[in-house]
Amino acid sequence: MGLFQKFKAGLQKTHGKLAHEIKRIVTRSPRLDAASLEELEAVLIGADLGMAATSQIVNAVRNSYETQGGDNRDVFAIARHEVETCLQAGSAGNSALHEVPGGLTVVSIVGVNGTGKTTTAAKLAHLVQSQRKIALLAACDTFRAAAIEQLKLWGARLKVDVVAGAYGADAASVAHDAVAAAQARKANYLFVDTAGRLHTKHNLMQELQKLHRVLGRQMSGAPHEVLLVLDATTGMNALNQAREFNKAVPLTGLIVTKLDGTSKGGMVVAIQKELGLPVKFIGLGEQPDDLQPFDAKRFAEALFEE
Ligand SMILES: Nc1nc2c(ncn2[C@@H]2O[C@H](COP(=O)(O)OP(=O)(O)OP(=O)(O)O)[C@@H](O)[C@H]2O)c(=O)[nH]1
Ligand SMILES: [Mg+2]
């Protein structure tokens, strides 16, 4: 499957709903009147594109009609263009995974419970491994016994080594051992799977700060990436999660998972526009290669293909 096909398949629910409703609006009347534009606005808000991006699209559609007497079919093209612009402005061309040249890159994977951190850490290891780089996984969710097992199973399946401690062990000490192991093996990437935590729990956020301090003491600059994993099906609550995590542990990027399971995939646009943090990867399914590097153009096309 080509990359665009993958995006399209993964975003089918959002695309299906948007395309169906926009078609209904534009085929009903030959010219878009105020009522149609209001309906268009409601459809975009319904897909969680957020107020700012929605206004931008609706205004662009209105302008095009007023100044060029545009054709109804232009709505899709205008939406694609505006969404791509929003996404590119938000990411500031910074959506690639950081790489320390010739050395180890430490990537900490954080987020609230159940967003897809462990799965995503494994998928990321798989991705860099497919680029002929050496990846290692650190099982730093020592809070649940099953979490360590889950990561080990992924490691066995993808042939990636997992550094783990005992259940209940100090997560920071596992992280410490994992960096040492990664350096000894001359690994290119260490992906640190952390325990799920609520962004409102101060002590749990402090624990995460400690984990990052330990990483930084052992290797200057680490963690090089702090990626917050957001579940697309939680909608706009993800915005609060991102703001609070960013206050406690400055984030370098976002990963939005489970986009295949929602018709509100527009939240990616709202989040990037409002937070100014780049979305670096998106999760489009449960298989290892369902994690895709984010691409603004492809995303906009998959959402608003006619
Ligand atoms: N459909 C779909 N499911 C996903 C995606 N990413 C993760 N999942 C599923 O979401 C569920 C939770 O994933 P985990 O990786 O265990 O989440 P977690 O954040 O590590 O959870 P905790 O460690 O409990 O906080 C699993 O069933 C995953 O298979 C995705 O992109 N699409
Ligand atoms: Mg987990």
Side-chain angles (χ1 to χ4, degrees), residues 122 137 149-162:
L137 286 160
E149 279 317 303
Q150 185 191 358
L151 197 66
K152 282 184 175 168
L153 277 174
W154 271 111
R157 179 174 169 198
L158 300 174
K159 300 190 169 52
V160 178
D161 286 336
V162 178

Side-chain angles (χ1 to χ4, degrees), residues 178-302:
V179 172
Q183 286 174 325
R185 284 179 220 187
K186 303 208 182 325
N188 304 96
Y189 279 97
L190 174 67
F191 296 103
V192 179
D193 180 32
T194 67
R197 69 197 74 227
L198 262 180
H199 49 296
T200 48
K201 289 266 184 342
H202 186 63
N203 59 328
L204 295 181
M205 297 308 268
Q206 279 184 320
E207 236 177 64
L208 194 56
Q209 291 170 334
K210 178 187 160 194
L211 182 77
H212 287 180
R213 267 200 310 277
V214 167
L215 288 170
R217 265 207 297 276
Q218 203 179 355
M219 186 186 177
S220 146
H224 306 89
E225 288 262 24
V226 181
L227 300 178
L228 176 68
V229 180
L230 298 169
D231 176 341
T233 64
T234 61
M236 291 304 172
N237 187 261
L239 270 170
N240 284 329
Q241 294 170 21
R243 285 198 192 98
E244 293 306 315
F245 267 88
N246 198 29
K247 273 187 218 157
V249 285
L251 303 170
T252 58
L254 307 171
I255 297 179
V256 182
T257 61
K258 309 188 197 179
L259 278 163
D260 51 310
T262 179
S263 61
K264 293 173 175 287
M267 61 85 79
V268 171
V269 182
I271 277 191
Q272 185 144 311
K273 194 157 173 81
E274 298 207 11
L275 296 171
L277 282 166
V279 174
K280 296 210 167 184
F281 296 91
I282 53 176
L284 300 167
E286 296 189 90
Q287 295 309 309
D289 59 357
D290 286 336
L291 186 79
Q292 290 292 322
F294 187 65
D295 181 308
K297 188 172 167 57
R298 231 173 246 146
F299 187 86
E301 279 173 7

